[in-house]
Amino acid sequence: MMKINLKAAAIFILFLIFILPKKSNADCQFTCSPITIDTVNRQVCMGFQNYCSCIVTSYFWDYGNGLTGNSQHGGTCFSYPGTYIVKVFGICSNGSIDSSVHTVLVDYPNNIICNVITSDKSLEQSNGEFSVFPNPFSDKLYFESHFEEGYIKIYNTTGNQLLFKEIGFGLNSLDVSFLTCGMYFLYYSNGIISKKTIMIKQ
């Protein structure tokens, strides 16, 4: 029988509690301003005004275009057309981490959408009742439902419905290879709960 070293176990638990970074109860918030258009280089340049609720000792930006930054307020240029996931992390003085994740859609001159709050995860589950993954996705989407009946709809950013599919209990897969790269809105309903989320096709 394996013997447990209680002292080592206690030290490990203290490490998990006090050493590993913790997610803060409040997130950073950033807005997109100003926005300028560079038609010569086919770019849209944005500044980001960012504020975190904790006392931040350092910042990290991931702009989703291969560039990063470490200032409080960020900014970068995005080639268009394209969809980008912009993330900012604030390392708080108490060891927790504030963060914010936004989707930036750059399709000049048709659409420039910023400040759409997104999530690193797939669609948030409601008591484990439904989930969709991965996000971002490529050619396949997977749905896990704990209901016998339900359906999903996918819309583009102009509000046109591109897909309707009924899904049942368990794990369902869906071929979405016909969708072009960009941002989509996914709606799920089963008559009891309704969910919506932003999905990114890469």
Side-chain angles (χ1 to χ4, degrees):
M1 180 180 294
M2 181 184 299
K3 293 183 179 180
I4 300 175
N5 188 323
L6 295 180
K7 183 177 180 181
I11 292 173
F12 178 71
I13 292 172
L14 289 174
F15 172 80
L16 291 177
I17 295 175
F18 295 108
I19 305 300
L20 288 181
K22 300 172 285 296
K23 182 70 172 65
S24 171
N25 290 328
D27 288 340
C28 299
Q29 300 293 330
F30 71 82
T31 57
C32 310
S33 176
I35 298 176
T36 59
I37 312 298
D38 179 358
T39 55
V40 175
N41 297 306
R42 296 184 60 82
Q43 291 182 330
V44 173
C45 299
M46 296 182 182
F48 301 108
Q49 301 297 312
N50 173 58
Y51 299 93
C52 300
S53 59
C54 68
I55 299 174
V56 178
T57 57
S58 62
Y59 295 89
F60 177 77
W61 288 85
D62 180 351
Y63 296 116
N65 59 358
L67 301 177
T68 60
N70 56 13
S71 58
Q72 177 184 354
H73 305 298
T76 188
C77 295
F78 302 99
S79 298
Y80 63 80
T83 305
Y84 304 88
I85 303 297
V86 179
K87 306 174 186 178
V88 61
F89 301 90
I91 310 303
C92 305
S93 58
N94 64 359
S96 64
I97 300 176
D98 274 10
S99 65
S100 188
V101 181
H102 292 226
T103 297
V104 175
L105 172 65
V106 182
D107 186 22
Y108 177 81
N110 301 312
N111 282 307
I112 299 176
I113 301 176
C114 185
N115 211 29
V116 179
I117 299 177
T118 315
S119 171
D120 269 330
K121 304 175 185 177
S122 59
L123 181 67
E124 294 295 332
Q125 299 185 27
S126 174
N127 298 321
E129 294 166 337
F130 175 78
S131 61
V132 55
F133 54 92
N135 190 18
F137 64 94
S138 54
D139 292 335
K140 286 275 189 180
L141 274 176
Y142 296 91
F143 307 88
E144 186 171 8
S145 173
H146 289 185
F147 293 90
E148 292 295 335
E149 295 181 356
Y151 65 85
I152 62 104
K153 296 179 181 179
I154 296 179
Y155 294 84
N156 61 17
T157 56
T158 59
N160 296 318
Q161 181 178 314
L162 305 179
L163 183 145
F164 174 91
K165 180 174 176 62
E166 295 180 347
I167 61 173
F169 181 87
L171 185 64
N172 302 258
S173 64
L174 181 62
D175 182 0
V176 286
S177 58
F178 68 94
L179 295 177
T180 58
C181 295
M183 182 171 69
Y184 297 90
F185 300 97
L186 183 144
Y187 294 85
Y188 167 79
S189 180
N190 58 24
I192 299 175
I193 64 171
S194 296
K195 291 285 185 179
K196 61 181 179 180
T197 191
I198 293 172
M199 305 294 293
I200 305 299
K201 171 71 181 288
Q202 290 185 334

